[in-house]
Amino acid sequence: MGIEVQNNKIIIRRELSELDKFVLDVVNLVGRYARYVIVSGYVMILLGRSRGTEDVDFIIEELPREKFLKMCEEAERHGFEFLNPENCGGLYEMLREKLGIRLARKGEIIPNAEIKFPKDEFHREALENRLLAELNGRAIYISPIELQIAYKLYLGTDKDFEDAFFLYELFKEKINRRALDEYARRLGVKIKF
C-alpha cells in the first residue's frame, strides 16, 4: 500500500477490499446527488489502519425532498436497499429529524452506509472542509485530519484514542497544529501527543 500527500490531497494505491468496493459504489451514487464527507472508522481503514467496521458514516448536505427521493429510487434500482423499515418519504423525514438511515447491498446487512444530514457544527465543518482522498484514482471525500483526530479524542474510547494516535503519527509532518489545537479546544479535549 502506498500513501502520498500532495497539495491538500491524499493519494492511496492498493488492492481494493470488498469494503472499499462497497464504499466506492455508495460514493458513486450519493456523490451524484449531494456533497458528502466520510467520517469516523472507515477513514482509518482507508488510510491503512487494520481494524474492522460494520458501517461507513456519511454526512451529506441537506437535500430537498424531491432530490432525495430520486437518490433513494436510484439506489434501489442499482442493487441497494435501505435497512430502515421506511419508504423513501419516511427515510427523508428521518434525515430531517437528524436520524441516520442505513444503506446496504440488497440481501446484506454488513457492510452498510449510515447516512445523515449534518447534526452539529462539526458535521457542517467536516462537510465544508472535506479532504480529497484518491483511492486508485477514484475520489473519496473524508473529514479533515485535524478534526478527525480531535473528534476521536472527544469520543474517548480506547479504539477512538488508538485511531487518533494512528492519524497523528501518519500525518504528523503535515498536520495544521493550529487547526488541531482549535478543534481540541472547542471539543474540550487535550492533545497529549
Side-chain angles (χ1 to χ4, degrees), residues 31-49:
R32 286 199 298 271
Y33 291 91
R35 285 176 40 95
Y36 73 88
V37 63
I38 297 174
V39 300
S40 206
Y42 179 72
V43 173
M44 307 312 129
I45 295 167
L46 177 67
L47 297 172
R49 178 156 150 70

Side-chain angles (χ1 to χ4, degrees), residues 76-193:
E76 292 171 349
R77 282 194 310 272
H78 286 91
F80 291 105
E81 66 183 346
F82 289 91
L83 302 178
N84 309 76
E86 302 285 335
N87 63 20
C88 290
L91 293 170
Y92 183 74
E93 292 309 314
M94 288 179 69
L95 289 171
R96 300 262 310 151
E97 293 170 12
K98 306 299 183 206
L99 300 172
I101 60 174
R102 293 190 181 269
L103 178 70
R105 294 192 195 282
K106 282 187 180 158
E108 298 179 12
I109 297 172
I110 298 171
N112 64 74
E114 184 177 11
I115 300 170
K116 300 176 237 182
F117 285 163
K119 69 177 183 179
D120 60 28
E121 65 188 287
F122 299 105
H123 280 179
R124 286 187 287 281
E125 286 182 40
L127 189 58
E128 185 63 33
N129 301 310
R130 64 192 188 155
L131 177 63
L132 174 61
E134 281 187 2
L135 176 58
N136 295 354
R138 305 255 321 260
I140 297 177
Y141 289 97
I142 62 173
S143 176
I145 300 302
E146 297 83 1
L147 176 54
Q148 190 77 28
I149 291 169
Y151 205 80
K152 285 290 190 174
L153 292 173
Y154 169 77
L155 293 174
T157 69
D158 288 344
K159 183 163 68 167
D160 290 317
F161 181 79
E162 291 166 4
D163 286 346
F165 185 72
F166 169 81
L167 284 177
Y168 183 82
E169 284 297 309
L170 186 62
F171 292 101
K172 64 183 167 191
E173 303 299 321
K174 303 283 185 181
I175 284 177
N176 178 333
R177 189 63 197 220
R178 181 179 291 155
L180 177 59
D181 290 343
E182 178 60 18
Y183 284 129
R185 183 193 65 74
R186 290 171 54 204
L187 286 162
V189 297
K190 301 263 189 245
I191 305 293
K192 298 179 182 179
F193 37 80

